Amino acid sequence: MIRIGFWTAVFLVLLRICIGWHFFAEGVNKVRSAYTGAADVNEKPFSSAGYFSEAQGPFGKFMRGMLGDPNKEIVDKLTPTEDRKSVPAPVAQEWDSYLTLFTETYQLSEPQQAAAKEKLEAAKKAFITWLDEGKLTVEKTSPGPTSKADFELEVPVAKRLEQFQEAIKNVDSGYNRLWVMQKDVLGAELQTRKKDVSTIRKELEDAYKDQFNALKDDLASVLGANVTAFLTKEEGKDEQATLEAMLTPMQNGNNPLAAMWDAYGAHLKKFGKVPGDELNNTVDTALTTAKARFDLWLAGKDVFSGIPEDQNYIQSWQTAYTKAKDAATEEEKKLADAKLTEEEKTKALAKVR
C-alpha cells in the first residue's frame, strides 16, 4: 500500500478542484456566449459548427445536414442557372433578404427604395456575367524539387469551381478507401487533399464576398450623407469652393461640414441602439464639443486647452493658398488675352496651381 502525506493529499485535492473549476468555467463561458452573442476573451461566440461541418465519420452526413455543408453552399451559390437569366437561388435569397433588412433598418423612403431595387437588379446582372466571365487570382508554387517560388495565375471562376468539385471527390474517395481497407493507406496524402479543398473553398468564398460587399456598398450610397457624413464637394459647388467653405469656423454657420455632422448626429439618434434622452444628450454633447474643437484647430490653438500653438499651420497654409490662388487668377487674365488653344491654357495654368 502506498501512503501519502497529509499535505500531499491536500494539494492533490486542491489541484483537482482547480482543474475541475477551470473546465466548468470554460464550459459556462461557451454556453453563455451562445446566448449573449459574445465571449469574454475574443468577443466571438463559441461554436463547434466549423468542426462538425467538416466531419467525415459515420455521422458526417448527418451533422452536415443539420449544420449545413460549406462545400455544397459555395457550389450552389456559384453554379449558374441553365437559362443564365437569373442568379442562383441561394444568392437571390441572401441578397433579397439583405435588401429587405436594409430597407427596414434605415426606413428608406419610396424614392430610396426604388433606387435600392435598381442597384440590386444591376448587381444581380453583374453577378451573372461574373460567373461566366470573371476570373480569380490563384497563387501557385513552381514545380520541381528545388524551386519554391510562388506566382499568381488568373483562373476563370467556372474553371476554379470545377477544380473545387474535383478536389471534393478526391477527399471523398480517400475516405471511402480508408473505410474499405480499415487502415490509413494514404497517410499525408489525405491531409493534402483536404487542404486543397479548404484552400479553394476560401478563394471562392472570398470572391463571392467581394461581389456581395460591392452590392452592400452600392446600397449604402442610397443613404447619402446621413450615414457616410462625408462628401467630396458641396452641392452646386466644385471641390475648390467646397474646400474653402469647409475651412471656415463652425460658429459662422456656413461650413458644410456642420450640416453633414448634424445630419449624421440625427441619424445616430434615430437608429442608435441606446433609446431615449441618454443617446440624444450624448450625441448633442459630442457634436458641440467637436465643433468647438474644430474652430480652435482652425484658429491655430490647442483643441483641448485653447492655448495658441507655437506655429499656426492653418494660417500658414491659408496664406500660401491665397498667394497661389491670386497667382493663378492673374495668370488666367494673361492667358485670356493671349492667343492660345484651350489645351495650352490648361497646361499653363497647371504650372501655377
Side-chain angles (χ1 to χ4, degrees):
M1 173 182 282
I2 300 176
R3 295 181 179 274
I4 60 176
F6 172 78
W7 290 111
T8 302
V10 170
F11 283 118
L12 286 175
V13 171
L14 291 176
L15 177 62
R16 291 186 177 186
I17 292 175
C18 290
I19 294 174
W21 179 259
H22 170 74
F23 282 110
F24 173 76
E26 286 295 320
V28 169
N29 185 51
K30 288 178 172 59
V31 172
R32 184 169 57 83
S33 71
Y35 290 94
T36 61
D40 289 339
V41 179
N42 55 12
E43 296 302 321
K44 182 179 180 181
F46 171 79
S47 174
S48 58
Y51 173 81
F52 284 110
S53 63
E54 299 283 351
Q56 295 288 340
F59 295 98
K61 291 184 178 180
F62 173 75
M63 296 302 299
R64 288 195 297 275
M66 292 178 56
L67 302 172
D69 186 345
N71 293 339
K72 184 177 183 303
E73 288 176 2
I74 193 63
V75 169
D76 290 344
K77 288 180 178 179
L78 299 184
T79 300
T81 57
E82 293 184 2
D83 58 3
R84 295 297 201 278
K85 294 182 179 180
S86 60
V87 297
V91 177
Q93 181 179 0
E94 185 173 23
W95 290 15
D96 290 343
S97 298
Y98 181 82
L99 176 61
T100 301
L101 179 62
F102 184 84
T103 302
E104 294 175 353
T105 301
Y106 295 104
Q107 301 179 13
L108 301 186
S109 63
E110 290 186 3
Q112 288 177 324
Q113 291 182 31
K117 289 180 180 179
E118 289 182 2
K119 291 184 179 297
L120 175 61
E121 294 303 320
K124 288 182 177 179
K125 292 180 180 179
F127 187 79
I128 295 171
T129 303
W130 177 75
L131 289 179
D132 290 329
E133 303 176 5
K135 294 184 179 181
L136 301 180
T137 301
V138 179
E139 293 186 357
K140 292 288 186 179
T141 301
S142 300
T146 58
S147 177
K148 295 184 179 180
D150 294 332
F151 64 96
E152 293 182 345
L153 182 67
E154 286 193 343
V155 180
V157 175
K159 180 65 175 178
R160 197 57 172 164
L161 186 61
E162 292 178 2
Q163 295 172 351
F164 179 56
Q165 292 173 306
E166 186 64 28
I168 295 174
K169 292 180 181 179
N170 289 337
V171 172
D172 291 340
S173 65
Y175 274 105
N176 290 335
R177 189 175 178 184
L178 292 182
W179 302 131
V180 172
M181 302 296 294
Q182 291 296 306
K183 61 184 298 186
D184 187 2
V185 294
L186 294 176
E189 173 64 22
L190 182 58
Q191 297 301 319
T192 301
R193 295 182 185 184
K194 292 178 65 176
K195 184 178 179 180
D196 289 341
V197 171
S198 178
T199 299
I200 301 177
R201 184 178 67 226
K202 187 176 186 308
E203 293 173 356
L204 295 174
E205 288 175 342
D206 289 345
Y208 171 75
K209 288 178 182 178
D210 289 341
Q211 298 296 314
F212 195 10
N213 288 336
L215 168 63
K216 293 179 180 179
D217 291 340
D218 287 341
L219 292 177
S221 65
V222 173
L223 299 171
N226 286 338
V227 171
T228 60
F230 174 79
L231 293 174
T232 56
K233 62 179 181 179
E234 190 179 5
E235 186 176 357
K237 296 182 180 180
D238 59 16
E239 283 80 356
Q240 180 174 326
T242 302
L243 175 62
E244 294 178 8
M246 286 182 174
L247 291 177
T248 59
M250 290 282 185
Q251 59 186 359
N252 290 353
N254 298 322
N255 193 322
L257 279 177
M260 285 188 282
W261 290 6
D262 290 338
Y264 186 61
H267 168 78
L268 291 178
K269 293 178 182 179
K270 187 175 183 180
F271 299 106
K273 294 183 179 180
V274 182
D277 295 335
E278 180 182 353
L279 177 62
N280 295 341
N281 294 335
T282 301
V283 172
D284 290 338
T285 301
L287 282 173
T288 302
T289 302
K291 291 177 181 179
R293 289 177 177 174
F294 180 89
D295 288 350
L296 289 174
W297 169 77
L298 198 63
K301 299 179 180 180
D302 184 89
V303 296
F304 297 101
S305 64
I307 300 175
E309 299 282 3
D310 295 335
Q311 185 174 359
N312 191 336
Y313 294 99
I314 299 300
Q315 186 177 2
S316 301
W317 177 87
Q318 287 177 330
T319 301
Y321 176 76
T322 301
K323 290 181 179 179
K325 183 180 178 181
D326 292 342
T329 302
E330 185 66 25
E331 188 67 19
E332 286 179 355
K333 293 180 181 179
K334 294 180 180 179
L335 293 175
D337 300 330
K339 296 180 179 180
L340 299 175
T341 63
E342 290 298 326
E343 182 178 357
E344 291 173 334
K345 290 181 180 179
T346 301
K347 291 182 179 179
L349 286 173
K351 293 180 179 179
V352 297
R353 284 181 174 172

